[in-house]
Amino acid sequence: MSAPETVDQVLLTASVVLIVVAGAGLLLRIWRGPSMLDRALSLDVCAALIISGLGAKSAFARDPFYFPIMLVLAFLGFTGSVGIARFIAVRDRPPGRPRPAGDPRTGKEAP
């Protein structure tokens, strides 16, 4: 094994170890998270960790097979985060002023 291959193996192994440590911290945050927003953010980070794990596996195998899968997971993670954010924003909306009576399109008072 040449020196560049050894360096590649060491760096890839270190990246996998860091991904596993981040996953353990992520599971702890999902379990203990004080709010729903913390848990939602942790699930978004979970998608990023899965993508990075697939990237590390692809680098180990030197095979580009997982790149389309990573792209689809990134899209699903983004849309899931936006959906959760919209749900939390609607649920946690502060009570506002009551709407005026009348036509909702024009805002004019009803006769």
Side-chain angles (χ1 to χ4, degrees), residues 15-105:
S15 68
V16 169
V17 167
L18 288 175
I19 289 170
V20 169
V21 169
L26 178 73
L27 290 176
L28 181 67
R29 176 51 55 193
I30 290 173
W31 181 59
R32 292 186 58 200
S35 70
M36 184 67 174
L37 190 58
D38 287 332
R39 290 183 174 98
L41 184 64
S42 296
L43 289 174
D44 186 38
V45 173
C46 182
L49 281 178
I50 291 170
I51 292 168
S52 61
L54 283 174
K57 179 172 176 30
S58 180
F60 265 133
R62 298 190 189 279
D63 184 18
F65 174 75
Y66 294 103
F67 291 154
I69 297 170
M70 292 165 49
L71 184 65
V72 169
L73 284 175
F75 177 71
L76 290 175
F78 170 74
T79 55
S81 297
V82 170
I84 290 172
R86 285 181 57 99
F87 171 73
I88 291 174
V90 168
R91 190 189 69 171
D92 294 341
R93 181 178 297 154
R97 291 180 284 180
R99 290 188 175 177
D103 188 4
R105 291 172 282 156

Side-chain angles (χ1 to χ4, degrees), residues 1-18:
M1 187 179 278
S2 66
E5 289 175 353
T6 304
V7 171
D8 283 347
Q9 290 297 322
V10 168
L11 290 176
L12 286 172
T13 303
S15 68
V16 169
V17 167
L18 288 175

